[in-house]
Amino acid sequence: MESVTATYDVGYRLDQDTNVFKEAHEAFEFEYAFVNGNKENKITKDQVKASGLTVTSDMTSLTLVYKEKASTEKPKKANKQEPAKTETTSESDDASDADTTDSQETGEQLTEFFVVASQNQVTKGETAQLTLTIKPDNYPNKDVTWSSSNDATATVDGNGLVTTHEVGTVTITATLKSDPAISSSVTIVVNPIKVSKITVNGYGKDYLVKGNTVTLTTTVEPSDAANKSIVWSSSNEEVATVDQNGKVTAVGQGTVSIKAMNDDSGVYGEQVITVYDNTPANYKVHVYVTNENQKTTYTINIPKDGTVVTPASVAQNTTGNGRTLVTKAEIRVLDELGSQPNWANISSKPIVTAFRYYNGKLQYKTTSNSAWATVGSNQRIYDFSNIQYKADETGSYNSTDVKVTIGDWPYGANASTSEIYKTIQIQVYNNETKKMFKIQELCVMRMVRMVIMEK
């Protein structure tokens, strides 16, 4: 008994006069049909002849039964995506319900032949991998020919790897070499390259004074993006405005974000700018990590109109001793520190909570004193920062940037200590959330001397 499979799209109308039946089943006399393997619910030839038979989405198989056996010539199968399957067999109550195509060589029957893409939406220049499924696994002659409907848009190699070249839509088809009537296709949409990064350039100042202007520019990546247009905007036009050429005009005291956005991709870059009504007072801040002088400073700017500012609003990240230093805004006003200050003494001092400029002097409040105090002539401002360690480029650690707090260890290298039976605690500082996380209590020390070495 030979079976022949033809495949039709949902909505296709079948009847006895369909050319496919004449060609594929010329030697058969149509007897009846049944759907989804349900032989009890027969559709007679008179019903089909009178009203036809329409393929619907709930048909997983459609079997047409004929009286006489057809010739031994193998029929062809036209395979389309998401079809309902139509099977014809010689008349028998035990007729096979499978969707199959015979292999003349071994008698194996083709049950599945379809292509799936790893992605149907691809950016120009990217690739998509197609996967072809042929069932059964031992079906012979699995060799296929891959083809593209438009090689200018995308090409496909012998392994089903699609490489895109131009924007557009392309159909990629796999055709069975042993039977060109059997094929399956997928549609790939090739989208234009979009902007992935915008960097705002041109601002090399600490601040602007009301009335000042500066013109910003952008660097857009990738350089071959299809739409690189930029729309400029200000987060607060009472502080600063920006025109569509990137020209920023300072309007009033405050902090503002100037944004450069690409509407097509939604990607943006921004520049934060501080504006003062008048030139601010400037003060130097010395940077330490616990009791270690990093031999670097930065400048804080305090408005001369008496505006109160917090340490967090003026503290800065810096570099010192070849390392990146991350501020915690842990600022103290102290008498000038010596060459080997004691961390226990330093850490006992209160932390600054606010600054202001008053009567020509810098004043501050602390965690232990809510009254304003004036910075004395023999005092300095100190920022006790963290060291930021980066994973190296070879990836010998990992690909994550880790901010590690070194301390609180109040002693220098080779210093004798009286500390015994104490734990060493490692903490990780998140510079974005400004929070500290304890990682592990490492060990209990039982020693009178510890040598600290740095690579």
Side-chain angles (χ1 to χ4, degrees):
M1 178 178 67
E2 180 179 340
S3 64
V4 180
T5 301
T7 306
Y8 302 91
D9 291 327
V10 171
Y12 196 93
R13 181 183 173 87
L14 306 175
D15 58 56
Q16 281 190 283
D17 296 324
T18 302
N19 289 334
V20 173
F21 290 156
K22 287 184 177 181
E23 294 169 0
H25 313 297
E26 189 172 353
F28 286 113
E29 179 182 354
F30 176 73
E31 187 68 10
Y32 62 89
F34 57 89
V35 176
N36 299 343
N38 185 5
K39 299 177 184 178
E40 301 302 320
N41 188 14
K42 294 181 180 180
I43 305 170
T44 66
K45 61 183 177 182
D46 292 332
Q47 289 175 304
V48 173
K49 185 174 181 180
S51 58
L53 183 61
T54 300
V55 177
T56 60
S57 59
D58 60 345
M59 291 184 182
T60 58
S61 66
L62 173 64
T63 303
L64 307 180
V65 181
Y66 289 76
K67 276 186 177 180
E68 299 177 2
K69 184 175 180 180
S71 67
T72 59
E73 180 183 358
K74 183 169 72 74
K76 303 297 182 181
K77 174 183 179 181
N79 191 332
K80 302 178 184 178
Q81 286 189 299
E82 298 184 1
K85 302 175 180 61
T86 303
E87 179 184 8
T88 61
T89 67
S90 58
E91 182 179 16
S92 170
D93 287 343
D94 296 324
S96 172
D97 296 338
D99 171 25
T100 59
T101 294
D102 285 347
S103 168
Q104 292 178 343
E105 293 82 357
T106 67
E108 290 294 339
Q109 298 175 327
L110 182 66
T111 58
E112 293 182 34
F113 186 92
F114 61 89
V115 174
V116 175
S118 60
Q119 51 183 338
N120 294 91
Q121 298 278 338
V122 185
T123 299
K124 174 185 171 182
E126 293 183 350
T127 61
Q129 181 62 57
L130 306 186
T131 302
L132 173 64
T133 297
I134 299 178
K135 295 291 184 179
D137 293 336
N138 61 345
Y139 187 79
N141 302 322
K142 287 186 177 182
D143 292 343
V144 298
T145 300
W146 292 95
S147 61
S148 168
S149 64
N150 188 343
D151 285 344
T153 301
T155 53
V156 60
D157 66 13
N159 297 313
L161 181 65
V162 178
T163 302
T164 61
H165 306 292
E166 297 294 341
V167 175
T169 301
V170 64
T171 300
I172 306 297
T173 303
T175 303
L176 192 63
K177 285 184 177 181
S178 62
D179 189 346
I182 299 176
S183 64
S184 180
S185 302
V186 293
T187 298
I188 302 292
V189 178
V190 184
N191 297 311
I193 297 172
K194 293 192 174 185
V195 171
S196 61
K197 182 180 179 180
I198 298 174
T199 304
V200 178
N201 310 307
Y203 186 71
K205 302 175 180 292
D206 291 332
Y207 58 86
L208 296 179
V209 175
K210 181 178 178 179
N212 288 171
T213 63
V214 64
T215 298
L216 305 178
T217 60
T218 59
T219 301
V220 177
E221 299 177 43
S223 59
D224 58 349
N227 181 347
K228 296 189 285 186
S229 62
I230 296 294
V231 176
W232 292 93
S233 63
S234 168
S235 64
N236 188 342
E237 294 191 344
E238 292 183 356
V239 176
T241 60
V242 61
D243 65 19
Q244 291 310 304
N245 295 314
K247 182 179 179 181
V248 178
T249 301
V251 177
Q253 189 161 293
T255 301
V256 65
S257 173
I258 303 299
K259 183 180 291 187
M261 174 178 279
N262 175 254
D263 281 342
D264 181 53
S265 64
V267 173
Y268 65 88
E270 62 183 334
Q271 176 65 59
V272 176
I273 295 176
T274 299
V275 176
Y276 296 100
D277 287 336
N278 300 288
T279 302
N282 313 123
Y283 297 95
K284 185 181 293 185
V285 178
H286 300 263
V287 181
Y288 274 63
V289 173
T290 62
N291 63 334
E292 181 186 356
N293 187 353
Q294 300 302 301
K295 299 177 181 178
T296 188
T297 62
Y298 63 84
T299 299
I300 59 173
N301 303 300
I302 308 298
K304 289 184 176 180
D305 62 0
T307 299
V308 176
V309 299
T310 64
S313 68
V314 293
Q316 301 171 26
N317 296 337
T318 54
T319 57
N321 292 334
R323 298 176 293 195
T324 300
L325 306 174
V326 180
T327 185
K328 298 178 290 181
E330 187 177 302
I331 294 177
R332 293 177 172 90
V333 176
L334 305 172
D335 291 341
E336 185 174 350
L337 295 176
S339 60
Q340 189 68 50
N342 185 286
W343 174 243
N345 291 336
I346 293 173
S347 60
S348 68
K349 304 299 182 184
I351 297 172
V352 174
T353 58
F355 285 112
R356 75 173 181 181
Y357 185 85
Y358 184 75
N359 287 339
K361 301 290 184 178
L362 178 62
Q363 295 187 325
Y364 64 99
K365 292 181 179 181
T366 68
T367 51
S368 65
N369 188 358
S370 60
W372 288 105
T374 300
V375 177
S377 58
N378 62 335
Q379 292 182 310
R380 288 186 175 183
I381 305 170
Y382 295 94
D383 183 331
F384 295 91
S385 294
N386 291 321
I387 300 173
Q388 174 177 298
Y389 286 93
K390 280 180 172 285
D392 63 13
E393 293 182 357
T394 63
S396 61
Y397 302 111
N398 53 52
S399 60
T400 303
D401 292 346
V402 179
K403 290 77 175 175
V404 179
T405 299
I406 305 301
D408 295 335
W409 187 253
Y411 309 100
N414 299 314
S416 296
T417 81
S418 60
E419 307 292 340
I420 59 174
Y421 302 110
K422 299 292 180 70
T423 59
I424 299 175
Q425 179 176 297
I426 289 184
Q427 294 178 321
V428 174
Y429 179 73
N430 187 318
N431 192 43
E432 293 182 358
T433 63
K434 309 299 183 186
K435 292 182 178 180
M436 193 83 70
F437 300 93
K438 183 176 72 173
I439 298 302
Q440 185 177 5
E441 299 285 356
L442 281 183
C443 61
V444 175
M445 297 189 299
R446 192 172 185 176
M447 61 184 71
V448 294
R449 173 176 290 183
M450 174 174 283
V451 178
I452 300 174
M453 301 182 63
E454 294 184 1
K455 184 177 179 180

